[in-house]
Amino acid sequence: MQLHDYVAAIVFGAVIGIVARILLPGRQPIGLILTVLIGMGAAVAGTWAADRWDLHSDKHLTVGGQTYDWLVIAVQVGIAIVGVGIAALLARAFSADSGDRYDYR
């Protein structure tokens, strides 16, 4: 792999993570770096899952000479939505102000 492959993976992961946050209803109390990391993980996991279960379509997207399968992208975004949702739940559960909802007076 060359440097531009790593840069493309980071950008693609960021796009997948941001799309997942847009599609997931409500506010997610997680930062941009975690969103990008979840997107990158989802891109890897989605590619693996699509190859494993032979999920491919004849519809393709070409960006900068690279060809992407729409069905694989859909699997990647779906996994990213689940990842962002889990991260948001964990962030809410472990946030410092989560104890404010109980009044002990």
Side-chain angles (χ1 to χ4, degrees):
M1 290 186 83
Q2 296 179 353
L3 179 62
H4 64 84
D5 293 327
Y6 289 107
V7 172
I10 292 169
V11 171
F12 194 65
V15 169
I16 287 178
I18 291 168
V19 168
R21 284 189 71 171
I22 290 170
L23 294 176
L24 189 64
R27 184 179 163 107
Q28 299 85 32
I30 60 174
L32 181 63
I33 293 174
L34 185 57
T35 300
V36 171
L37 291 174
I38 291 169
M40 290 171 63
V44 171
T47 302
W48 176 83
D51 286 342
R52 173 96 169 128
W53 292 300
D54 198 29
L55 300 174
H56 298 284
S57 70
D58 56 348
K59 306 291 185 219
H60 298 285
L61 168 70
T62 303
V63 178
Q66 294 280 36
T67 303
Y68 302 99
D69 187 335
W70 278 109
L71 188 56
V72 174
I73 293 172
V75 171
Q76 292 169 335
V77 170
I79 291 172
I81 289 172
V82 171
V84 167
I86 290 171
L89 285 174
L90 289 173
R92 282 190 198 104
F94 292 106
S95 68
D97 60 353
S98 64
D100 293 341
R101 61 184 159 189
Y102 301 110
D103 189 11
Y104 294 111
R105 289 187 240 166

